[in-house]
Amino acid sequence: TAHAVVGLYPANSRGDDIVLWRDESRTEPALIWHGLRQQNPKPRDNPNRCLSDFVGPVGVNDHVGVFAVTAGLGVDAKEQYFLKDHDDYSAIMLKALADRLAEALAECMHQRVRTDLWGYAAQEKLSNEALIKEAYQGIRPAPGYPACPDLELQVELCELLEPERIGVSLSEEFQLHPEQSTSAIIVHHPEAKYFNAN
């Protein structure tokens, strides 16, 4: 079974951080997404990036999205069924398929946010090939990945989204469970692109 939870928040950059506000008054933070800026030497025309570069500073009416998705509900029980039947192949394939379905759901939710829920790209009509090439506006970096390697962001993100409502929990190592789950922040800036913060 697959489920998702999505939140859209007023947001502003503050230095290398992104502040998600509780409401449009922008007085009480709901979450502070601590950013890491690239540190490696680069040519003058190629700045060291941080995710906050793609969110407007305080005083600008900007927003971001956040989500958590899972396609792993029921996978553990079915895996045990296969293992008790000495069917390791089916257990492995089940988990691999659920992992791919979680990624597909993340792609689907990102598209729904772009075209419907937030609608910043409401006219978007992309082929599957264009979606695979990420030809859309915006990015969805996840905690633990190159643009935001700090997995501890999962704690505040889970406090904000309450993914236990969809059957997702957080381990002491900041991993989502079921393991066929993912979360991310959605940044809509037209120049936003993935990068390695290390």
Side-chain angles (χ1 to χ4, degrees):
T1 303
H3 288 294
V5 59
V6 176
L8 304 173
Y9 291 88
N12 295 107
S13 61
R14 191 165 63 193
D16 290 345
D17 299 336
I18 301 171
V19 180
L20 281 64
W21 303 103
R22 292 225 176 265
D23 57 43
E24 289 294 345
S25 70
R26 298 176 190 251
T27 56
E28 183 183 354
L31 180 149
I32 299 177
W33 189 280
H34 298 289
L36 294 173
R37 184 168 298 280
Q38 294 174 312
Q39 298 296 310
N40 51 325
K42 292 186 171 186
R44 181 174 278 230
D45 61 342
N46 188 8
N48 286 9
R49 293 284 179 205
C50 183
L51 285 177
S52 63
D53 295 344
F54 304 116
V55 178
V58 173
V60 173
N61 185 20
D62 208 348
H63 294 77
V64 299
V66 288
F67 69 81
V69 301
T70 186
L73 302 176
V75 167
D76 289 346
K78 191 66 174 177
E79 178 191 22
Q80 290 308 310
Y81 169 83
F82 287 132
L83 292 175
K84 284 180 184 175
D85 198 34
H86 305 289
D87 187 356
D88 292 358
Y89 178 78
S90 292
I92 291 168
M93 291 306 294
L94 170 70
K95 291 178 80 171
L97 179 60
D99 186 60
R100 296 295 86 214
L101 289 172
E103 291 299 326
L105 182 55
E107 185 72 56
C108 177
M109 294 314 300
H110 191 188
Q111 183 179 39
R112 288 230 23 230
V113 166
R114 291 191 310 271
T115 61
D116 177 31
L117 301 175
W118 184 352
Y120 68 80
Q123 305 308 313
E124 177 185 295
K125 302 280 187 227
L126 297 175
S127 67
N128 283 338
E129 291 76 18
L131 288 171
I132 290 167
K133 292 179 180 176
E134 299 174 350
Y136 43 76
Q137 179 182 331
I139 58 175
R140 62 170 192 274
Y145 282 77
C148 51
D150 183 6
L151 263 176
E152 289 188 42
L153 289 168
Q154 293 277 39
V155 175
E156 291 183 75
L157 188 59
C158 286
E159 287 174 1
L160 183 65
L161 288 174
E162 300 176 356
E164 59 274 4
R165 296 179 291 159
I166 60 167
V168 175
S169 60
L170 188 64
S171 75
E172 291 179 4
E173 295 82 27
F174 314 117
Q175 299 291 327
L176 296 176
H177 186 268
E179 61 186 65
Q180 298 81 20
S181 305
T182 189
S183 64
I185 186 171
I186 299 172
V187 179
H188 73 96
H189 195 286
E191 294 177 20
K193 57 185 175 183
Y194 295 104
F195 59 89
N196 191 331
N198 293 331

